Every structure is written in C-alpha cells, then in structure tokens.
Amino acid sequence: MSSTVISGIAALVTNEPSLGDASPLGLVRDAAVVLDGDRVAWVGAAGRAPAADDRVDAAGRAVIPGFVDSHSHLVFAGDRTEEFAARMSGRPYGAGGIRTTVAATRAAGDAALERTLARHLHEALRQGTTTMETKSGYGLTVEDEARALRIAARHTDETTFLGAHVVPPEHADDPAAYVSLVTGPMLDACAPYARWVDVFCEEGAFDGDQARAVLTAGRERGLTPRVHANQLSYGPGVQLAVELDAASADHCTHLTDADVDALAQGSTVATLLPGAEFSTRAAWPDARRLLDAGATVALSTDCNPGSSFTSSMPFCVALAVRDMGMTPDEALWSATAGGAAALRRDDVGRLVPGARADLVLLDAPSHVHLAYRPGVPLAAAVWHRGVRVV
C-alpha cells in the first residue's frame, strides 16, 4: 500500500465539525488530506500535512466525501420511455407501471442484468457516488428475486430484499398468498444475499398490515427494515418505519405533523428522492419542514427505469436546493453523511482519519457549485477505497 497527499484544496468538506469550522460540514480552508491504502490517514491545514509517497495538487479546487446513494433499483431489464412520455403529457404516475419492468426482467438473462447493473454503477461513480445501495423487486418470484440479489451482491455490500414491491399479476386475486410467499420461501432464498428488507407501503402496493408482516419476517431473519413510505399519498408507512426502528423511511412526500414528529424523535432517517418528483411531476417533499423539526435527512437518486431514471447525485442536490427548501450545505450533507446514516454506516460519507478513502475532487472552488451549476459534470477526479478511479 502507498500513501497520497492531496494538497492545494481550497475547501475540504469533512462532515466532522471538530475538524473544521464547527459547521455540520466541518469545512477546512486551504486544506490537505492524506490517504493511506484504503483509509483516510490525516486531514487538516495544507501547511501541516505530513509527507506521503505521492502528491496530487488540487489547484485551488474543492474536495468532498464521495456521495452515498442509499436508495436505487438497478437490477432490471427493459425500457419505460413510452410511460415517461405519456406522463409528461399528463398521465399520472401509479405503482402499476412496475409490472412492465417485472415482465422484462423475468425474461432477461443473468448476463444482461449484470451488464445493466454494472453500467449504472459506473455511471454513478463517474459523478462521484462511491457507495450505492440497490434493491431487488423486479422479479417477484423466488428464483428471480434471489438471482437479482446474487447479482447485486457481487457489486455492492448494500443490498436490499424488496420482494414486496408490488403484487405480481399471477397473485392479483390473492394478495395474501403473495405476502405468504414473500415472508416464507422468497425470504429464505433471498436473505443470504441481502442486508436490508424493504416494502412499498402504498395504495396499489401493500397496506400497513401487509408491510408489517414483511418487515417483521425480514427482521427475524437478520435483515434490517427500510420502507418506501408516503410517496403517493398519506399512509402508515412512516409511522411503521419509526415503530420498527427502520434505518430509513424513503420518499416522505406526504407527511402529517405526527409523521414529522415521529421522524424527528426517532432514529429513522427521512430519505428524500427528488428525482422521482422531477420525473413524475409530483409535489416536492418539504425538506425544510423535516430539517426544522430536527429530523435526519438523506438525499438519494431512486435510480430506476420507471419513476426516476437518473444516477446523478449532483442533480438531486441541485433539485433539493432549488425546489425542496434546502441550503447547499444541507443538501451536500444529506447526500453524503445523511446517506451514510440511512445505511447505518460511519466509515463513509465523511473525510476523517480512519474513514474509507472515498472522495471527489470537484472542478470548482466550492461545493456550492453542485447547485450553482446544475447539469455540469463537476467530478474532476474520484477516489474509491483509496484508488483513483476517475
């Protein structure tokens, strides 16, 4: 292993207040960071940086932690361009469109599914995403859900069993039988390849009782819950997530005051997915309301072929600042440290000694440019586990 010092950093975001300006971003001006193998060894003022084997000059640009994308659906086949075009012409979004992707995914071979997954992971990496969760949910049979997770587990440690995405057509007349399948044979086949269990708790998908059964069964098999909650309407998803100590309640578009209070008082992270609102023309989540109440907020892409076909965390940061009431500082924290919190990780999303050496050199003097220059590819270089990959 060799060490590298990156110096000449105009603004280094550490997400550790004690290392920088005492803000949540822990901003260090005129900074340097030392990488040793796959870990961060030192951060601080450039003038005090220790020697290293290699040196990189940031030339007055900013460095941030690698983005942590805690919600995506990347094991899929097919295309839903026509659905998107129809939606842009006025057709509302509903959960039923998922079944189109299910049919295509079932028909695809393993190699094709793995190529799609790898392509989108690399696409995200080029934009600075160094940790990415992904889910099953487009197979909805025992065999297809298990193979989706086997494929995903070869590329990321953050895999989620989402057999309870929607009820597939063959079980449309007996949803209870499908819940029994998900909580029995399907869970048995999928649990060895997953860290998390998820459920789409929504009208047109699974109600509160069904969601509870799925999450409880997953927890009994050692999987930690997370919940697709309150995306399309008000419902029980957020309250259920907090009650079961889920790592995250994802979407959180339609919240009552009681929902906001529950998130603020519990440990469940509110993960907001602005790409979905952008792609469906739905109401934006109110990030300001959650932040002012004291809830922990994460940002994620929800990359999937139906409702949010973007892998760009910078794009989601820009949307959050422009349309969801977040400041540039809050949006960046939520896209890094917030995502790590949603995955219950403390080794990513921060640049502190001992953390994983995942960082992004921006082609800009400040992280504010992520929102200030939307759509511009600002990741000049990316290090993942201490290796420069972009």
Side-chain angles (χ1 to χ4, degrees), residues 1 53 62 77 105 107 120 160 168 174 218 222 273 285 303 311 318 329 334-335 342 348 354:
M1 294 190 297
D53 300 320
T105 302
H120 287 105
T160 301
D174 193 358
L273 311 172
C303 186
S311 60
D329 285 12
S334 295
V348 296

Side-chain angles (χ1 to χ4, degrees), residues 148-164:
L149 287 165
R150 281 198 305 270
I151 290 168
R154 292 198 284 264
H155 295 266
T156 178
D157 295 333
E158 301 296 346
T159 54
T160 301
F161 170 48
L162 183 60

